[in-house]
Amino acid sequence: MKKLTFAIGLLMLSTSFLVAQDKIFTKSGVIKFDASGEMETIAAINKKATCVVDTKTGAMEFAILMKAFTFEKALMEEHFNENYVESDTYPKATFKGNISNLSDIDFSKDGTYAANISGDLTIHGVTKPATSKGTFTVKDGKISGSSKFEILLEDYNISIPAVVAKNINKKATIWVDVALDPLN
């Protein structure tokens, strides 16, 4: 009986290990954005993005804390958090979506693979459909991903006062870079 219980336990453990290997993640993804206008550079970086990708289903999720964005100037960071994204009210941004061409990507083989990504992006309490072209790179068993896309600030109810309209672009360019590890 002990052998049977041990064998069942070992089988369950190995099955959960195999399932976990289908998911890759990071807690230190990098998100950059640039909404520079005619008069001023408005750019920030966040090095604490969380991302999980299921390599078998193509499901992916991102979450970032808005207050983790750092700016070159402290005053910009303050205005970003208090006036534009209202970080106390809307503390995080999320993306939940899928890789639509998952069959074109071999996460077990070295190479660079184009990815078509679509899902729902939530910023400032507003959720909108979003699509992006991305790239997954597999090299020596390490997986990284990157993407670049643009959003209109008004689509996420982020208003720009007329007095600073020339300082801030109505469109923000966003870059995503993640190095992903197996989720244990």
Side-chain angles (χ1 to χ4, degrees):
M1 184 66 165
K2 286 183 181 180
K3 287 182 181 181
L4 179 60
T5 303
F6 178 74
I8 291 172
L10 188 59
L11 179 62
M12 289 174 64
L13 182 62
S14 65
T15 302
S16 66
F17 179 72
L18 291 174
V19 169
Q21 294 303 307
D22 293 345
K23 292 188 170 106
I24 51 179
F25 86 109
T26 187
K27 291 182 185 176
S28 57
V30 177
I31 309 288
K32 298 178 190 175
F33 81 83
D34 188 318
S36 298
E38 295 175 26
M39 308 293 285
E40 194 160 16
T41 299
I42 309 290
I45 187 168
N46 182 325
K47 296 180 180 179
K48 298 179 181 180
T50 301
C51 171
V52 177
V53 177
D54 187 321
T55 62
K56 295 298 180 201
T57 67
M60 63 180 353
E61 291 189 27
F62 278 85
I64 58 171
L65 291 176
M66 300 308 284
K67 285 189 176 181
F69 278 103
T70 57
F71 290 75
E72 187 175 297
K73 297 177 184 174
L75 187 58
M76 282 185 190
E77 193 167 319
E78 182 181 321
H79 288 172
F80 172 79
N81 286 303
E82 292 179 8
N83 303 333
Y84 298 107
V85 297
E86 301 173 279
S87 297
D88 287 337
T89 305
Y90 308 104
K92 66 181 180 176
T94 61
F95 175 80
K96 293 181 183 180
N98 287 288
I99 304 166
S100 61
N101 64 326
L102 183 64
S103 61
D104 297 339
I105 302 169
D106 187 344
F107 289 102
S108 65
K109 182 179 176 186
D110 281 7
T112 300
Y113 304 94
N116 298 323
I117 300 162
S118 61
D120 292 320
L121 178 63
T122 302
I123 301 172
H124 196 236
V126 177
T127 302
K128 296 274 187 184
T131 60
S132 176
K133 299 271 186 207
T135 303
F136 283 100
T137 302
V138 181
K139 184 170 183 185
D140 300 327
K142 300 285 185 187
I143 301 170
S144 62
S146 63
S147 181
K148 175 185 170 186
F149 60 99
E150 294 180 339
I151 63 166
L152 292 174
L153 299 180
E154 66 185 25
D155 285 350
Y156 295 92
N157 292 338
I158 299 171
S159 16
I160 302 167
V163 72
V164 293
K166 288 189 177 215
N167 293 4
I168 303 172
N169 196 324
K170 294 176 183 177
K171 188 185 302 182
T173 303
I174 300 169
W175 294 268
V176 177
D177 287 299
V178 292
L180 301 157
D181 295 310
L183 180 62
N184 294 326

